[in-house]
Amino acid sequence: EDKVVQSPLSLVVHEGDTVTLNCSYEVTNFRSLLWYKQEKKAPTFLFMLTSSGIEKKSGRLSSILDKKELFSILNITATQTGDSAVYLCAEETSGSRLTFGEGTQLTVNP
Amino acid sequence: NAGVTQTPKFQVLKTGQSMTLQCAQDMNHEYMSWYRQDPGMGLRLIHYSVGAGITDQGEVPNGYNVSRSTTEDFPLRLLSAAPSQTSVYFCASRNDRGAGEQYFGPGTRLTVT
């Protein structure tokens, strides 16, 4: 099983701060890297990344993949209290299997 | 579309009891999977199915059975519940035509005493 490691495991910031969440993965049978947001219920999809160096952006959130160094980052600018959640990254391998990291617990204080 | 539905939302079992967690999707997705989520462990794949009649084991399959007789339904059976199976269980589905968004059900919180 490929391993997915996220860091930091938890992060506390103030509203308006910019945060960077990290995700490293192993390369066996890689198909894509996905990011999810989880707020005390089912995870919701944020991004899917398949190509190196191409930034995906949605509002204040953006993500990029580095297939040479086997990592991805998720950036959140001008954080708001509503961004408080667990952020999960997952590696998709052949056979459409997803392997999830432990998640990063982000807390944004007013 | 209802998306992915799971029942029950909550369940308490005694050690040794068996039960079935139900999962259904109305999006005609071929690929369905079951995950469990424990504190500090992320989501771990239990079993998955790439189509009706086809199932395979994930990362943590022991103690669980699945079957896929229709495209819509993918029940998860606990054969003899153990306290170690106390967890939140998520069912998910996706279209198998390449990588893309996986849709999760609302989850079932299971406690085994």
Side-chain angles (χ1 to χ4, degrees):
Chain A
E1 296 281 342
D2 281 4
K3 191 168 181 183
V4 177
V5 178
Q6 292 186 244
S7 65
L9 293 181
S10 66
L11 190 56
V12 180
V13 300
H14 292 289
E15 266 192 322
D17 289 350
T18 292
V19 299
T20 297
L21 309 183
N22 303 294
C23 175
S24 66
Y25 64 94
E26 296 177 353
V27 76
T28 311
N29 299 320
F30 175 84
R31 287 184 67 178
S32 67
L33 194 289
L34 298 99
W35 284 96
Y36 288 83
K37 178 182 182 183
Q38 187 175 26
E39 300 171 90
K40 296 196 183 300
K41 49 187 178 181
T44 54
F45 174 78
L46 293 175
F47 298 112
M48 183 186 76
L49 304 155
T50 56
S51 301
S52 270
I54 299 174
E55 185 182 55
K56 293 280 183 92
K57 199 168 170 63
S58 176
R60 296 176 294 101
L61 278 67
S62 63
S63 184
I64 198 160
L65 177 68
D66 184 327
K67 290 171 76 172
K68 183 179 175 187
E69 301 297 331
L70 307 181
F71 77 90
S72 174
I73 60 172
L74 175 69
N75 280 324
I76 309 174
T77 59
T79 52
Q80 302 171 356
T81 55
D83 295 327
S84 295
V86 174
Y87 290 85
L88 298 162
C89 82
E91 179 189 3
E92 183 195 13
T93 55
S94 58
S96 295
R97 290 177 57 152
L98 292 185
T99 301
F100 282 84
E102 286 184 45
T104 294
Q105 172 72 63
L106 175 65
T107 303
V108 182
N109 290 325
Chain B
N1 283 354
V4 181
T5 58
Q6 288 183 238
T7 55
K9 285 191 171 59
F10 302 94
Q11 182 71 49
V12 179
L13 289 179
K14 289 187 176 359
T15 297
Q17 287 184 315
S18 62
M19 80 158 294
T20 299
L21 307 185
Q22 301 292 345
C23 174
Q25 52 90 11
D26 61 359
M27 297 173 281
N28 203 31
H29 286 169
E30 292 294 327
Y31 185 87
M32 297 184 73
S33 51
W34 276 102
Y35 296 88
R36 60 177 288 173
Q37 186 172 34
D38 304 297
M41 303 287 285
L43 286 112
R44 292 184 291 168
L45 182 65
I46 305 171
H47 285 285
Y48 66 101
S49 168
V50 297
I54 306 168
T55 64
D56 206 347
Q57 296 182 350
E59 187 184 347
V60 288
N62 292 341
Y64 307 95
N65 270 358
V66 291
S67 60
R68 185 93 180 273
S69 55
T70 67
T71 299
E72 293 78 22
D73 300 298
F74 191 43
L76 178 73
R77 295 183 190 83
L78 280 71
L79 308 172
S80 177
S84 61
Q85 294 178 304
T86 293
S87 189
V88 179
Y89 291 84
F90 289 103
C91 177
S93 77
R94 62 185 292 181
N95 191 310
D96 74 342
R97 296 180 187 277
E101 181 176 357
Q102 184 160 234
Y103 296 85
F104 283 87
T108 294
R109 184 174 292 275
L110 176 68
T111 302
V112 183
T113 61

